DNA sequence: GTGAAAGCGCTAACAC
DNA sequence: GTGTTAGCGCTTTCAC
């Protein structure tokens, strides 16, 4: 593998001149310039990013840490993050925590060992130290008690929109899958708000606590089956996209009429919610904007700039066929 | 940020000794060892991966290049690749080509500039040079004329299984979405084989050519709507998961009985196919094995070992409710 | 056992 | 304009 030295020797110049030529920094005569470009061609020289990183003390890589990138919401948001990072000249390292504590830790370690310049993190338990020491880390859709800035959807708004729609549709008893109220999931905000607004209006609310890592498809379907005796007593259901798809399919199998017998609202609003019949009514999280804000924030932190401690992204109600 | 020198000074030893201690290489007396560990603690020293990379001439990062990681098949396979890479001590850089030629090129450039040690690539048009010069690059589910090894599902087997099932179900006229026959997509193999086997058995086959980048959800649904006058004349349909979901929902909307009026077979078999009612019959690609083989192959190439030029992973027919 | 020194491939400051 | 040199933060000989 040719190095800058090989090029310099071949062109009969010093390595500084080669560097200057290739980076367009400082003056280089047209003649030497040509000689150098020729030598680059002949040697097949490609500058080593590693050596450059050594000097910049940066890798140009941001880690994106999610529970599971196969989940449609995370798949979507990670894609948009990769895209935003790309636009800014950064690369995106994919980290699935898979709820394994060692994985979480090892990805945070990459920040300290400077494999990545920063991390966008969606995990429940950030180590306490994470925020300190000038680490560039932003928490996406999760609370954090470590002084880490947070970017998330406006779940208060989401919970309210859901509740209002159920009320408008005349629902009397609503069920929701929640991930338990003792965790740092910001998602719980929507459940709290929905419950509050609904109960104020005299609508009964049943909350079924799912495992806090309920991200897999099969788990969701199992939960719907397991709690079907409860679900069939309600006339409104709110859960994530996957839960909603599960719910819809089981309801159809059981001969229920959706939305007549049961209104379903899917939270997240990824594209799969448009591929059912009837199409799912959703609260849609604005993934492009979430991604943009996360990237903007983490890159500002990398540059040592001040960043807001909380950014709220509005959600959108899209009424379709299940309400 | 503390460097190895700071630790050495603080512990009153040479940097070589610090290095030896931290890497358990060479002899270090218990006494100095303790002093050094203390100094590490006090300074908060974390070894720089960048400097280590400089010496190893490796980053420990493999790029995974797919058209769009939001697509359920690629989301799944990339997750499994990340997992396999992690097990081998490697990291996974996410690259969405989004069918943009510049993006493709820039990701390949990362190989040359040594940002990544290798690339697992699922793109249609690899630059011709890609295979040469000892580049560690494996093509996943795509043909390549550049001497790049290929890992893919056994689509001959897939096409045959589909055809046989349609025949068994008594279908007389089958429709398929294909991505056009002039491309290097290995997916076309299954379409060719299916057509051949079906026509041999006297079953008529209609092929609808979709855009070669037909990976988005909305595009698929539009295609189903657009060609519905054709689709409603057939009694068998084969397409990818997303296409099949689209097809099922439109069929239900149109009042068709699936599978009585129309058999649907989804190719890919990601988890969303279990969330419909009826559940989709699928040809399932073995993502964990594909991921494992891709990782194994690319890491062997990184190590300069010989690798097979083609690896075929069996697919599996799972009969569910749409046939 | 341990320190000093060379070197990985590059950039940037500084002479000439 | 251009060459030389000093690092960037490590690992790895090689003396002592």
């Amino acid at each position: 593998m040719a190095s800058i030295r090989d090029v310099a020797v071949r062109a009969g110049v010093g390595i500084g001149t080669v560097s200057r030529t290739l980076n367009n920094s400082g003056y280089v005569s047209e003649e030497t310039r040509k000689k150098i470009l020729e030598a680059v061609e002949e040697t097949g020289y490609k500058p080593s990013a590693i050596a450059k990183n050594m000097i910049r003390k940066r890798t140009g890589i941001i880690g994106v840490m999610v529970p599971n990138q196969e989940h449609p919401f995370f798949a979507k948001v990670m894609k948009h993050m990769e895209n935003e990072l790309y636009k800014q000249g950064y690369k995106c390292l994919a980290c699935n925590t898979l709820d394994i504590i060692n994985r979480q830790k090892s990805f945070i370690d990459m920040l300290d060992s400077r494999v990545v310049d920063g991390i966008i993190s969606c995990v429940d338990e950030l180590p306490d130290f994470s925020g300190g020491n000038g680490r560039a880390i932003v928490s996406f859709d999760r609370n954090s008690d470590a002084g880490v800035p947070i970017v998330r959807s406006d779940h208060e708004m989401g919970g309210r929109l859901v509740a209002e729609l159920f009320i408008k549709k005349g629902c009397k008893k609503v069920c929701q899958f929640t991930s338990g109220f003792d965790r740092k999931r910001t998602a719980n905000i929507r459940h709290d708000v929905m419950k509050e607004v609904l109960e104020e209006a005299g609508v009964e609310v049943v909350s079924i606590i799912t495992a806090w890592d309920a991200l897999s498809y099969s788990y969701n379907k199992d939960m719907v089956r397991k709690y079907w005796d409860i679900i069939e007593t309600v006339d409104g259901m709110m859960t994530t996209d996957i839960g909603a798809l599960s719910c819809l399919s089981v309801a159809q199998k059981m001969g229920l009429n959706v939305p007549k017998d049961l209104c379903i609202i899917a939270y997240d609003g990824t594209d799969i919610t448009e591929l059912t019949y009837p199409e799912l009514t959703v609260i849609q999280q604005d993934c492009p904007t979430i991604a943009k804000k996360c990237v903007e924030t983490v890159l500002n932190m990398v540059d040592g700039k001040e960043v807001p401690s909380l950014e709220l992204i509005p959600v959108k109600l899209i009424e379709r066929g299940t309400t």
Side-chain angles (χ1 to χ4, degrees), chain A residues 108-178:
Chain A
I108 295 287
D109 284 346
M110 296 195 311
L111 235 193
D112 288 328
S113 62
R114 280 139 285 170
V115 170
V116 295
D117 297 339
I119 286 186
I120 299 171
S121 154
C122 182
V123 307
D124 288 290
E125 304 287 354
L126 278 176
D128 278 342
F129 60 78
S130 341
N133 215 3
R135 284 188 185 79
I137 170 164
V138 24
S139 182
F140 139 62
D141 206 34
R142 291 288 186 274
N143 285 325
S144 66
D145 51 9
V148 174
I150 299 168
V151 175
R152 66 171 171 87
S153 285
D154 187 344
H155 295 304
E156 291 86 352
M157 181 183 173
R160 191 168 301 276
L161 285 170
V162 170
E164 286 167 1
L165 184 55
F166 279 138
I167 293 169
K168 181 174 135 197
K169 293 295 173 181
C171 295
K172 294 298 169 213
K173 187 174 172 186
V174 167
C175 176
Q176 61 178 344
F177 278 173
T178 87

Side-chain angles (χ1 to χ4, degrees), chain A residues 35-158:
Chain A
K35 268 197 307 192
I36 288 170
L37 260 23
E38 241 167 56
V40 167
E41 196 66 34
E42 289 165 3
T43 53
Y45 167 72
K46 309 274 180 180
S48 157
I50 302 180
K52 290 190 184 198
N53 290 344
M54 181 97 178
I55 291 157
R56 299 192 307 147
K57 300 188 185 183
R58 297 269 178 87
T59 58
I61 300 176
I62 299 292
V64 173
M65 207 166 147
V66 298
N68 184 343
Q69 69 173 110
E70 188 181 348
H71 184 280
F73 174 64
F74 292 119
K76 184 172 184 177
V77 89
M78 192 190 275
K79 184 197 78 172
H80 285 286
M81 286 177 179
E82 192 272 333
N83 194 27
E84 285 299 324
L85 286 167
Y86 181 85
K87 286 189 206 161
Q88 305 295 327
Y90 277 79
K91 293 127 213 154
C92 171
L93 202 79
C95 312
N96 293 284
T97 62
L98 308 178
D99 295 318
I100 297 169
I101 195 74
N102 274 350
R103 275 180 155 261
Q104 234 158 280
K105 215 182 122 356
S106 78
F107 293 135
I108 295 287
D109 284 346
M110 296 195 311
L111 235 193
D112 288 328
S113 62
R114 280 139 285 170
V115 170
V116 295
D117 297 339
I119 286 186
I120 299 171
S121 154
C122 182
V123 307
D124 288 290
E125 304 287 354
L126 278 176
D128 278 342
F129 60 78
S130 341
N133 215 3
R135 284 188 185 79
I137 170 164
V138 24
S139 182
F140 139 62
D141 206 34
R142 291 288 186 274
N143 285 325
S144 66
D145 51 9
V148 174
I150 299 168
V151 175
R152 66 171 171 87
S153 285
D154 187 344
H155 295 304
E156 291 86 352
M157 181 183 173

Side-chain angles (χ1 to χ4, degrees), chain A residues 14-298:
Chain A
I15 59 169
T17 311
V18 176
S19 176
R20 257 172 268 132
T21 306
L22 265 31
N23 295 301
N24 282 317
S25 56
Y27 298 94
V28 180
S29 78
E30 198 42 51
E31 195 185 353
T32 33
R33 183 187 175 70
K34 220 187 281 178
K35 268 197 307 192
I36 288 170
L37 260 23
E38 241 167 56
V40 167
E41 196 66 34
E42 289 165 3
T43 53
Y45 167 72
K46 309 274 180 180
S48 157
I50 302 180
K52 290 190 184 198
N53 290 344
M54 181 97 178
I55 291 157
R56 299 192 307 147
K57 300 188 185 183
R58 297 269 178 87
T59 58
I61 300 176
I62 299 292
V64 173
M65 207 166 147
V66 298
N68 184 343
Q69 69 173 110
E70 188 181 348
H71 184 280
F73 174 64
F74 292 119
K76 184 172 184 177
V77 89
M78 192 190 275
K79 184 197 78 172
H80 285 286
M81 286 177 179
E82 192 272 333
N83 194 27
E84 285 299 324
L85 286 167
Y86 181 85
K87 286 189 206 161
Q88 305 295 327
Y90 277 79
K91 293 127 213 154
C92 171
L93 202 79
C95 312
N96 293 284
T97 62
L98 308 178
D99 295 318
I100 297 169
I101 195 74
N102 274 350
R103 275 180 155 261
Q104 234 158 280
K105 215 182 122 356
S106 78
F107 293 135
I108 295 287
D109 284 346
M110 296 195 311
L111 235 193
D112 288 328
S113 62
R114 280 139 285 170
V115 170
V116 295
D117 297 339
I119 286 186
I120 299 171
S121 154
C122 182
V123 307
D124 288 290
E125 304 287 354
L126 278 176
D128 278 342
F129 60 78
S130 341
N133 215 3
R135 284 188 185 79
I137 170 164
V138 24
S139 182
F140 139 62
D141 206 34
R142 291 288 186 274
N143 285 325
S144 66
D145 51 9
V148 174
I150 299 168
V151 175
R152 66 171 171 87
S153 285
D154 187 344
H155 295 304
E156 291 86 352
M157 181 183 173
R160 191 168 301 276
L161 285 170
V162 170
E164 286 167 1
L165 184 55
F166 279 138
I167 293 169
K168 181 174 135 197
K169 293 295 173 181
C171 295
K172 294 298 169 213
K173 187 174 172 186
V174 167
C175 176
Q176 61 178 344
F177 278 173
T178 87
S179 54
F181 294 98
D182 56 332
R183 293 248 151 207
K184 296 192 195 139
R185 298 236 162 160
T186 61
N188 289 327
I189 295 167
R190 65 189 182 228
H191 295 121
D192 289 340
V193 171
M194 184 194 87
K195 192 173 150 83
E196 201 185 307
V197 176
L198 242 25
E199 288 181 343
E200 232 164 61
V203 178
E204 192 181 340
V205 175
V206 189
S207 298
I208 295 176
I209 313 281
T210 59
W212 61 281
D213 58 344
L215 295 171
S216 79
Y217 289 75
S218 56
Y219 178 85
N220 271 273
K221 192 141 192 183
D222 287 346
M223 287 300 283
V224 172
R225 287 202 195 99
K226 185 171 168 188
Y227 290 102
W228 186 249
D229 54 334
I230 295 178
I231 298 173
E232 68 176 345
T233 71
V234 304
D235 51 12
M237 180 77 199
M238 118 107 148
T239 172
T240 57
D241 287 355
I242 296 180
L245 256 77
S246 303
C247 215
L248 177 61
S249 67
V250 174
Q252 288 173 334
K253 184 169 185 176
M254 295 306 193
L256 255 57
N257 181 316
V258 176
K260 237 176 138 191
D261 302 327
L262 178 67
C263 286
I264 301 176
I265 301 178
Y267 207 101
D268 282 354
T270 60
D271 294 354
I272 46 169
T273 58
E274 293 185 65
L275 294 188
T276 55
Y277 179 73
E279 294 185 11
L280 284 157
T281 291
V282 301
I283 298 292
Q284 188 172 60
Q285 298 199 55
D286 184 352
C287 293
T289 305
I290 291 175
K292 197 166 189 163
K293 274 293 166 202
C294 283
V295 167
E296 188 183 309
T297 304
V298 78

